[in-house]
Amino acid sequence: MSTAPDNGQVLYDLLPAIYREKDNGDLQAYLDAYGELFDAIERTLDQKLADNFPDTPDEGIICQDWLLPYFAKLLDARLVSPHAAGRRDEISHAVSWRQRKGSTSVVEDIAESVGGMEVEVQEGWQRVATTARIGMPLLPAVNFGVSPAPDMEIPSEAARHPGLLAATVDLRYLSRVIKQQTGCGEAKVQGNPHGVPCFPGGYDDATRRTVDLRTPSWSQGHHHPKRILLYAPPAPGYFSEVRHEIHWKDRAKPEFAKLIEIIDSEKRYLVRNISGQPIHFIGQVKLLKAKDYTLEGFSFGTTISCKLGRLFLKDVAAPKVVAQYDGPLAPSLSAKGCLFRDVTTATGLMRLEYCTVLRKTIAEWIEASDCIFLGILQKDHLHAVPSLSGCIRYSRLPVMPLGVVSLFHCTTDKPIFFQDDYGEYACAVLHPATLDSIKHGAEDGGEMGCYHDRRYVLRGEAIIDKLTDFLPVGLEAVLVPDMNLVCAPPIVEI
């Protein structure tokens, strides 16, 4: 569905040419006034048409989010995804998922639609050690995706047959997932399934073990016939391996016009990511004029320095931010959904919402909500203890600060990140081992910190919740993070 045209221009074009030639601009302005009304009517009709369909079209407008529960009620679908796009997929796939209920393919579809994750699914019964019986037929190796089949006349080759019920590790070989280059392309298979695992506990650890009767979690209870294991790579956070890298001084070049929007006026300077893709700025970022600066949707490799104006950041990652605007009335720095290594407003007010600071926070006054502070909070560079003023709520602090800071529903529990080095993949992304006081410590029950709006924790929990409706009775799904899935397996030519 295309966007609404300019009806005022359409009306003007329909006039005979003689009227358009004599027009001094008043007639076109008169028709533009009617065109605005017709544009509003057309947009209303387009939206009314779109509201009849819950799915996401390839182009055009979509139905309003508040209508999704009504569509779900018609199909008896239980919506659990924390994202509107995931809820739309739950509705559009409700029938097909029921038809394939209990299959591994529907498990993969639910993980991708509800949680936005690509997972490797393994059935727990395949990882449980069983006793071989005399006369039990040996399935062909091709059934396990292995080609060519091992030569059963050679003992060392016969021991590598994937169909053997072997529980003892074969120390002569290493076991991991590989890609085989075949005539039809690449095929992902388990190489030497009976060998020593290269990454124990990972998705490509094919060793069989005795039944693990412990309560299943991300780290235990996996080897059990009643488990469905979903191995997923950690979310990249702000530092995806695939991104656009642009020098800060080149941001206004024409070749980046489809990636970056820049609005420059007398009182405001805005730089926004309009591509929906990760963009990483390198080079010095010095904002020197007395105006409001707004940066949205970027990661930075160097310090952001704002000398005279006020700084507004949204969905930004920066190693260090220094804002020098003075005074407690107007914030020197306002940030939402941001990741900092260090942040400083030594003589001004700092206002943070859904932010994570990995090291030091320096501020004269601070207002923070739903944030994670790993390092100390202090008033200036000379103080070794925190004595700043302000209010902090629903946040994680290393210690309860002294001074006149008002605290409400804060905790000192330590968060566990996949990576806490700035710039690394999955930096500041919460690990499943993190306590619920942080994973669900925000005011709305979501996670604290810079990825609150991305809902990484809630997405994983929504997948497990949704699968309870589509797995056989007694089977339990377990979501296991695995950093090995970030890297592609090696390619082996045959």
Side-chain angles (χ1 to χ4, degrees):
M1 187 181 301
S2 61
T3 58
D6 185 353
N7 284 291
Q9 185 64 42
V10 173
L11 291 173
Y12 188 73
D13 292 339
L14 290 174
L15 289 176
I18 187 173
Y19 295 108
R20 296 198 301 269
E21 291 174 358
K22 295 182 178 181
D23 180 31
N24 62 355
D26 293 341
L27 179 58
Q28 185 171 12
Y30 177 75
L31 294 178
D32 283 343
Y34 284 99
E36 291 182 6
L37 175 62
F38 293 152
D39 289 344
I41 294 173
E42 184 169 353
R43 286 193 297 268
T44 301
L45 294 175
D46 287 343
Q47 184 63 63
K48 187 174 182 180
L49 176 62
D51 287 344
N52 288 278
F53 307 96
D55 55 345
T56 304
D58 294 333
E59 60 179 11
I61 61 177
I62 58 178
C63 78
Q64 301 174 77
D65 293 346
W66 65 270
L67 291 169
L68 296 179
Y70 296 97
F71 287 112
K73 191 173 183 180
L74 291 175
L75 298 172
D76 193 25
R78 187 171 64 94
L79 303 182
V80 299
S81 177
H83 288 285
R87 293 192 288 271
R88 295 179 193 279
D89 284 345
E90 288 182 77
I91 296 171
S92 60
H93 294 100
V95 176
S96 64
W97 286 350
R98 288 196 187 101
Q99 292 172 339
R100 296 180 290 132
K101 187 174 183 178
S103 64
T104 56
S105 62
V106 77
V107 173
E108 293 180 353
D109 288 349
I110 288 175
E112 185 172 355
S113 297
V114 175
M117 301 181 186
E118 292 188 8
V119 298
E120 292 285 342
V121 179
Q122 294 186 9
E123 297 174 282
W125 66 268
Q126 294 180 333
R127 305 185 64 178
V128 174
T130 56
T131 304
R133 300 187 299 274
I134 296 176
M136 178 180 292
L138 184 64
L139 294 177
V142 70
N143 289 13
F144 299 90
V146 176
S147 179
D151 190 346
M152 302 304 291
E153 300 296 328
I154 304 175
S156 61
E157 286 292 315
R160 303 174 64 181
H161 195 289
L164 294 175
L165 296 179
T168 303
V169 175
D170 191 341
L171 300 177
R172 296 172 296 179
Y173 306 105
L174 294 176
S175 174
R176 66 168 302 173
V177 169
I178 59 174
K179 284 185 178 180
Q180 287 185 341
Q181 192 71 37
T182 64
C184 299
E186 295 178 355
K188 187 184 293 186
V189 298
Q190 182 74 35
N192 301 320
H194 306 308
V196 179
C198 293
F199 307 103
Y203 80 103
D204 54 359
D205 179 4
T207 54
R208 294 183 173 93
R209 306 177 190 178
T210 55
V211 176
D212 190 344
L213 299 177
R214 293 176 294 179
T215 301
S217 67
W218 66 272
S219 61
Q220 66 182 27
H222 300 167
H223 296 79
H224 194 286
K226 293 295 185 179
R227 304 285 183 263
I228 297 292
L229 308 178
L230 285 71
Y231 290 91
Y238 282 106
F239 305 105
S240 174
E241 293 183 333
V242 180
R243 64 188 183 186
H244 299 280
E245 194 165 282
I246 303 172
H247 201 286
W248 174 252
K249 66 181 181 180
D250 298 332
R251 62 192 180 279
K253 287 187 174 181
E255 57 262 37
F256 303 128
K258 293 184 178 181
L259 302 176
I260 303 170
E261 178 188 16
I262 298 178
I263 299 176
D264 190 2
S265 63
E266 182 180 353
K267 296 183 179 181
R268 185 190 183 202
Y269 186 81
L270 179 144
V271 183
R272 178 188 292 130
N273 183 349
I274 59 175
S275 67
Q277 305 170 17
I279 296 178
H280 182 76
F281 278 122
I282 58 176
Q284 291 186 342
V285 182
K286 293 185 177 181
L287 312 174
L288 304 177
K289 297 182 179 180
K291 60 172 64 178
D292 292 343
Y293 290 93
T294 302
L295 308 178
E296 295 184 11
F298 305 102
S299 63
F300 291 82
T302 57
T303 300
I304 301 176
S305 177
C306 185
K307 186 174 182 180
L308 299 176
R310 297 185 299 170
L311 183 59
F312 298 85
L313 303 177
K314 183 179 180 183
D315 299 328
V316 165
K320 186 175 182 178
V321 173
V322 179
Q324 302 179 32
Y325 188 87
D326 294 336
L329 300 180
S332 174
L333 168 66
S334 298
K336 181 178 181 180
C338 296
L339 170 64
F340 308 119
R341 189 175 61 197
D342 298 282
V343 59
T344 301
T345 58
T347 59
L349 169 62
M350 180 185 300
R351 182 173 293 165
L352 306 179
E353 184 180 10
Y354 308 133
C355 293
T356 298
V357 184
L358 300 176
R359 294 198 314 202
K360 188 179 295 184
T361 303
I362 299 175
E364 183 76 16
W365 300 274
I366 187 170
E367 296 174 356
S369 178
D370 305 281
C371 296
I372 296 177
F373 298 94
L374 283 189
I376 194 170
L377 286 76
Q378 58 191 67
K379 185 173 183 179
D380 54 49
H381 295 277
L382 301 179
H383 283 76
V385 295
S387 58
L388 66 169
S389 305
C391 176
I392 302 176
R393 59 198 295 275
Y394 294 97
S395 297
R396 188 273 169 184
L397 304 169
V399 294
M400 293 301 177
L402 304 175
V404 291
V405 176
S406 300
L407 301 178
F408 185 76
H409 278 272
C410 293
T411 180
T412 57
D413 293 338
K414 187 175 181 179
I416 301 175
F417 298 139
F418 284 101
Q419 181 60 257
D420 56 7
D421 291 333
Y422 181 86
E424 296 294 328
Y425 184 95
C427 177
V429 176
L430 293 178
H431 192 278
T434 305
L435 296 176
D436 285 345
S437 58
I438 295 175
K439 290 196 298 183
H440 298 284
E443 184 177 9
D444 60 0
E447 63 185 277
M448 295 178 179
C450 58
Y451 301 119
H452 174 275
D453 288 344
R454 301 192 185 190
R455 297 175 173 88
Y456 289 150
V457 173
L458 294 179
R459 283 160 53 181
E461 294 176 349
I463 293 173
I464 302 302
D465 186 15
K466 188 70 174 182
L467 287 176
T468 58
D469 297 338
F470 292 91
L471 292 178
V473 177
L475 261 65
E476 190 170 358
V478 184
L479 186 62
V480 185
D482 191 352
M483 285 294 293
N484 296 323
L485 286 168
V486 176
C487 303
I491 298 176
V492 178
E493 295 186 1
I494 59 173

